[in-house]
Amino acid sequence: MRYAVSHITTLEYAQPVRLAQFNARLRPAAWPGQSMTGYALGVDPQPAEVAEREGGYYVNEARFSLREPISQLQIESRFTVEKEPLPFFITGSTGPGLADLRERAMQKPDVSALGPASYSFASPIAVPERDIAMWASGFLSESMPVVEAGRRLMGAIHEQFAYESGATVADTPPIEAFRARHGVCQDFSHIMIIAARAHGIPAAYVSGYLRTLPPPGQARLVGADAMHAWVNLWCGDDLGWIGFDPTNDMLADTDHIFIGMGRDYSDVAPLDGTFRGSSEQTMFFSVDVAPLD
């Protein structure tokens, strides 16, 4: 599948702000089964310079500053992406048992942005929560293969939690969404990450997109109107990272477009920054993922 992706973000300020600095994480990082062409990032008002670099985890980051006062900012990201279906050795695999996986992860001398060590412990948002760990203990066991464990976790979240747009905000603690049994894709991903790490599974937060319109005869995926989030689980050296989407109870496949991954949302937020002033900020966004063939 080939897609044309467009993401437009508009920030409006009640009063002009000065010395605004932003970090945009919208350019897709390289990922197996996905190839990107024609990337373009537009910023209005145009900054003097946009500096692109690798982020702290597996994500691309563009930094820019605006010294003159602004009351509105628009950021537009566009690219074309091609997605290959997941190979059978992934979809038909089970992977090592959880006890074996935990030992392999702890002995692996890899602290890179794709190494399991970075995603095995607490992070700023995905902090350990006893209630979530105990909940996951009800359907996980030490001998269970990791892929089955991932399917169990995302299936339980999909079945037991209600997707409610606007039920939470970006800084809502995952434990609050867990106890309320509702939330959005960000909440479900953080809950799954906390549960997986509690049982020794390295788990990462993935930022990306979903196909906007479904193929004929298929239901529209939940979360297609904005940036989407799912979970990557490290399933051993042979399988590597596999994406699990608890919002839609499915493996990340041709309908999922990978942008970047980190320990939690704070590492891969599509846009953040600072400005001088006390004006209220309002954000609007538009996302379109259009099939090309």
Side-chain angles (χ1 to χ4, degrees):
M1 288 295 303
R2 292 175 63 243
Y3 300 99
V5 180
S6 169
H7 181 168
I8 301 174
T9 303
T10 303
L11 301 177
E12 294 184 350
Y13 300 93
Q15 300 292 332
V17 299
R18 299 182 298 115
L19 300 177
Q21 302 180 53
F22 296 95
N23 304 304
R25 303 175 186 91
L26 297 166
R27 183 188 184 103
W31 196 253
Q34 176 175 303
S35 57
M36 183 269 295
T37 57
Y39 182 79
L41 180 69
V43 182
D44 182 21
Q46 185 174 348
E49 180 184 10
V50 177
E52 297 197 17
R53 66 171 197 172
E54 294 181 359
Y57 288 85
Y58 197 69
V59 62
N60 292 319
E61 189 172 86
R63 287 189 165 191
F64 58 90
S65 301
L66 297 164
R67 296 188 174 277
E68 298 300 320
I70 60 170
S71 56
Q72 179 174 297
L73 175 70
Q74 185 173 88
I75 301 170
E76 182 175 6
S77 171
R78 291 184 181 272
F79 59 90
T80 300
V81 65
E82 184 170 349
K83 293 284 299 186
E84 298 292 336
L86 285 174
F88 176 75
F89 83 88
I90 295 291
T91 58
S93 64
T94 58
L98 298 191
D100 184 22
L101 181 83
R102 183 185 305 115
E103 183 176 354
R104 295 187 192 189
M106 292 298 99
Q107 294 179 350
K108 189 173 176 63
D110 183 358
V111 293
S112 70
L114 287 174
S118 298
Y119 308 96
S120 297
F121 306 101
S123 54
I125 297 175
V127 299
E129 294 287 358
R130 184 178 184 276
D131 288 353
I132 295 177
M134 293 300 294
W135 167 77
S137 296
F139 44 85
L140 299 183
S141 67
E142 290 286 277
S143 61
M144 180 178 291
V146 60
V147 177
E148 180 183 347
R151 291 183 182 273
R152 291 276 189 98
L153 280 172
M154 74 173 179
I157 292 171
H158 184 264
E159 179 182 351
Q160 298 178 27
F161 294 73
Y163 183 93
E164 293 184 19
S165 180
T168 58
V169 294
D171 59 356
T172 297
I175 191 62
E176 291 188 13
F178 175 80
R179 289 171 176 161
R181 289 299 195 271
H182 66 199
V184 295
C185 57
Q186 175 179 314
D187 305 302
F188 301 158
S189 295
H190 283 142
I191 291 167
M192 184 169 172
I193 288 169
I194 293 168
R197 290 177 185 168
H199 292 271
I201 308 172
Y205 184 101
V206 179
S207 174
Y209 299 102
L210 286 175
R211 173 180 177 148
T212 304
L213 297 176
Q218 294 188 25
R220 193 169 188 264
L221 295 178
V222 177
D225 291 324
M227 287 202 81
H228 191 53
W230 61 93
V231 177
N232 269 356
L233 299 182
W234 188 74
C235 299
D237 286 317
D238 293 337
L239 297 177
W241 293 98
I242 298 178
F244 295 80
D245 181 352
T247 304
N248 292 289
D249 193 19
M250 63 189 298
L251 295 183
D253 203 345
T254 54
D255 287 336
H256 293 72
I257 296 168
F258 179 97
I259 297 298
M261 86 176 195
R263 299 165 301 169
D264 54 41
Y265 173 80
S266 65
D267 292 331
V268 294
L271 184 68
D272 60 27
T274 61
F275 59 82
R276 181 171 295 180
S278 58
S279 179
E280 181 180 353
Q281 174 183 280
T282 305
M283 179 182 294
F284 307 92
F285 57 83
S286 170
V287 170
D288 187 35
V289 180
L292 297 177
D293 49 30

